[in-house]
Amino acid sequence: PIPYFPSLLLLQEGRCLYVILLMALYWCTEALPLAVTALLPIVIFTLLGILPSNKVCPQYFLDTNFLFLSGLIMASAIEEWNLHRRIALRVLMLVGVQPARLILGMMLTTSFLSMWLSNTASTAMMLPIANAILKSLFGEKDTSKDMNRENEENQASLQQNKLYTVPTEMQFLASTEDKDLSEEKEMTSDALSDLKKEEEYKTNIWKGFLISIPYAASIGGTATLTGTAPNLILLGQLKSYFPECDVVNFGSWFMFAFPLMLIFLLMGWLWISILYGGINLRGWRTKKSNIRVDAEARAREVIKEDYQKLGPTKFAEQAIFFFFCVFAIMLFSRDPKFIPGWASLFAPGFISDAVTGITIVIILFFFPSQKPSFRWWFDLKAPNTEMQPLLTWRKAQETVPWNIILLLGGGFAMAKGCEESGLSVWIGGRLHPLEGVPPPVAVILITIVIALFTEFASNTATIIIFLPVLAELAIRLRVNPLYLMIPGTIGCSYAFMLPVSTPPNSIAFSSGHLMVKDMARTGLLMNLMGVLLLSLAMNTWAKTIFQLGTFPAWANIHAENATSVLPAVENVTLSAL
């Protein structure tokens, strides 16, 4: 047997801590591409003697990675045949063209797409639709860099041409046709005041539209396990730290996160609509001006025209929609916990969500994109042309973000290193001051800290760093580890205050129509609402779904193993439990 040397064990922990801090630094500063940083454990863990390569490398291709890959491939097929655009335009046609309703339609559509597509892809797809609607409502919009200079130019234009130009940071032109310019007449001060209010209203509505889309994408991604990377990192690290934990799967997560997403989406819509004028609390009975009525009619025509450009529904779109529904239903019904799922028909432990997802997406690579004709088999003169499948491998290669797969693998490798080296236990031994914190308070504090941290760092990197700490803290507090790990995971997606917080925020900000202060003042209350709603969810329906009221047996096994690792180092053990 190998003799026990506490100093050697601490040295092992120190090496692992060094690697994690180095990767955290690279992830936060992006000194290297995120995916390249994720590959460092393959080299450094083996060179420093933390983990052998035959334990590190398999972490990059766990079944969780394949579940995520199946979601990405399904999203590629949806985008290939423009099914997402048809769904978006159809929803907008149903909700109406009043600003508050349009913002709600944008948020509902974006959040639904973000449940299955990446948050970035959902935002990038919806913003052009939003811009087209806004231009039909309000005309073109130009950005001014100098406010004072713009005001002077506006006044000079008013005096010289008898035209009114908006003296705001964003300038709207109601029309670009020359014939409209010749019909302008000198306006009274009251008319100018009314038009100024109208243009300020338009500016606010434009901002409300653009800011609602990335927020809805971030919120919607939390509703499914495949919606965003942190959710899958939680699933993977649970399997690493607590192999016996089987309460988190696609169905149970959906039952918990989907109601939370809907409530948060509704609250966010109300806040954005009130803040940016979509809902006027003091003017419910105010009659619409003719300008607004005409603008809404134009927007309705733009949406209808864009929808008609898609043409009749193709066979490929119908097939993709069918397989998408089968994909979602099979994932949800595999093991919903409250009733036996279809996985119970097979040997226990053999069927996972990854098997379900990969099975469906494989069909996409050979199912025909055009309706097959049975007469072809009996027509000897029929041409022997190759049938195009719903998705080609070349298209999948081009559209699937493979770097995210490596990023997930890097997180799983880091978690494995923490576990094998004893670093997670060492961290748990340093959490004595937090043992007296009530668990509900701990949930709020954890969510606030992680939501603030992820404003400046990648949400994937943030959850990779924090999850091992949260797991050990939960064992210290003698609460179900999911009670702390789930709020930490979802809190990573609640980054609303800065353009650099998430790629969707950056995409919306790059349009040039938003300012940092717009995101800061809107996102501050969004963050606060997210923290409070998440705390409410964890202390109500989540307790029933994940059995959070008791300290589970699978966590007890981990605690006993952790205690047996360091019998000679008193402050590192969990013997106090």
Side-chain angles (χ1 to χ4, degrees), residues 141-388:
K141 184 177 184 184
D142 299 326
T143 305
S144 174
K145 296 181 180 179
D146 191 337
M147 289 287 295
N148 295 328
R149 181 179 177 184
E150 184 185 13
N151 287 340
E152 294 173 359
E153 291 175 352
N154 289 334
Q155 294 299 328
S157 175
L158 174 62
Q159 296 175 2
Q160 180 178 355
N161 300 325
K162 308 300 183 183
L163 299 175
Y164 180 77
T165 315
V166 189
T168 59
E169 66 197 52
M170 301 299 183
Q171 185 179 32
F172 290 89
L173 301 176
S175 176
T176 59
E177 298 182 7
D178 293 337
K179 64 177 183 180
D180 292 337
L181 297 178
S182 63
E183 296 176 358
E184 294 288 342
K185 297 181 179 180
E186 184 176 357
M187 300 179 181
T188 64
S189 59
D190 291 339
L192 291 176
S193 177
D194 291 341
L195 277 178
K196 182 177 180 180
K197 291 180 180 178
E198 188 71 21
E199 297 300 336
E200 289 176 352
Y201 165 80
K202 293 175 182 178
T203 300
N204 285 332
I205 291 297
W206 197 302
K207 290 181 177 180
F209 263 73
L210 297 182
I211 209 168
S212 67
I213 292 174
Y215 288 2
S218 296
I219 296 170
T222 63
T224 62
L225 273 180
T226 57
T228 187
N231 299 353
L232 286 166
I233 291 172
L234 168 67
L235 181 63
Q237 293 206 12
L238 278 175
K239 292 181 179 179
S240 176
Y241 283 110
F242 310 106
E244 301 299 321
C245 176
D246 63 346
V247 296
V248 177
N249 57 41
F250 191 93
S252 61
W253 182 271
F254 186 82
M255 287 190 294
F256 157 70
F258 185 70
L260 173 62
M261 183 269 285
L262 286 180
I263 297 172
F264 193 12
L265 202 67
L266 178 62
M267 298 293 292
W269 167 69
L270 288 173
W271 166 236
I272 292 172
S273 297
I274 293 172
L275 181 63
Y276 291 102
I279 295 177
N280 187 354
L281 297 179
R282 293 175 298 179
W284 283 101
R285 299 180 181 179
T286 303
K287 186 178 179 180
K288 291 183 185 178
S289 66
N290 292 331
I291 296 176
R292 295 190 187 180
V293 172
D294 294 341
E296 290 177 4
R298 289 197 303 271
R300 188 181 295 108
E301 289 301 318
V302 167
I303 297 173
K304 186 177 180 180
E305 182 181 350
D306 284 350
Y307 186 81
Q308 290 175 346
K309 286 180 181 178
L310 295 175
T313 306
K314 304 179 184 67
F315 174 78
E317 293 179 67
Q318 297 174 350
I320 290 292
F321 183 74
F322 171 77
F323 286 118
F324 168 73
C325 293
V326 173
F327 177 82
I329 292 172
M330 290 189 67
L331 285 174
F332 181 80
S333 61
R334 182 187 68 84
D335 187 17
K337 297 302 180 183
F338 60 92
I339 58 173
W342 59 265
S344 60
L345 302 176
F346 301 89
F350 277 70
I351 303 294
S352 67
D353 287 336
V355 176
T356 307
I358 293 297
T359 301
I360 299 300
V361 299
I362 285 177
I363 300 175
L364 302 179
F365 288 102
F366 64 80
F367 196 87
S369 60
Q370 296 179 359
K371 189 174 181 179
S373 174
F374 291 101
R375 287 187 294 180
W376 181 88
W377 295 95
F378 307 101
D379 187 359
L380 299 179
K381 297 181 179 180
N384 189 17
T385 57
E386 183 178 357
M387 185 69 71
Q388 182 184 1

Side-chain angles (χ1 to χ4, degrees), residues 426-474:
W426 182 85
I427 293 174
R430 299 299 185 270
L431 298 177
H432 293 294
L434 298 177
E435 291 183 11
V437 177
V441 176
V443 169
I444 295 177
L445 293 178
I446 287 167
T447 310
I448 291 175
V449 169
I450 292 180
L452 291 176
F453 191 88
T454 196
E455 294 286 350
F456 305 95
S458 161
N459 57 359
T460 305
T462 300
I463 198 60
I464 289 173
I465 295 168
F466 277 94
L467 272 183
V469 179
L470 297 180
E472 294 300 330
L473 176 60

Side-chain angles (χ1 to χ4, degrees), residues 419-551:
E419 180 187 7
E420 294 287 334
S421 67
L423 177 62
S424 59
V425 180
W426 182 85
I427 293 174
R430 299 299 185 270
L431 298 177
H432 293 294
L434 298 177
E435 291 183 11
V437 177
V441 176
V443 169
I444 295 177
L445 293 178
I446 287 167
T447 310
I448 291 175
V449 169
I450 292 180
L452 291 176
F453 191 88
T454 196
E455 294 286 350
F456 305 95
S458 161
N459 57 359
T460 305
T462 300
I463 198 60
I464 289 173
I465 295 168
F466 277 94
L467 272 183
V469 179
L470 297 180
E472 294 300 330
L473 176 60
I475 292 176
R476 277 283 174 186
L477 296 176
R478 295 295 293 180
V479 299
N480 191 315
L482 295 176
Y483 189 69
L484 301 184
M485 296 174 77
I486 290 177
T489 301
I490 295 183
C492 280
S493 297
Y494 291 168
F496 304 113
M497 292 181 61
L498 296 174
V500 297
S501 301
T502 63
N505 288 9
S506 301
I507 293 173
F509 184 79
S510 65
S511 65
H513 305 323
L514 292 172
M515 303 179 68
V516 175
K517 66 179 182 180
D518 296 324
M519 282 195 164
R521 69 169 181 163
T522 312
L524 180 61
L525 188 59
M526 290 290 291
N527 277 8
L528 181 60
M529 285 193 298
V531 169
L532 295 179
L533 289 174
L534 182 55
S535 177
L536 173 66
M538 293 304 301
N539 290 286
T540 51
W541 66 85
K543 281 194 171 183
T544 303
I545 296 172
F546 299 116
Q547 296 102 45
L548 300 180
T550 59
F551 192 71

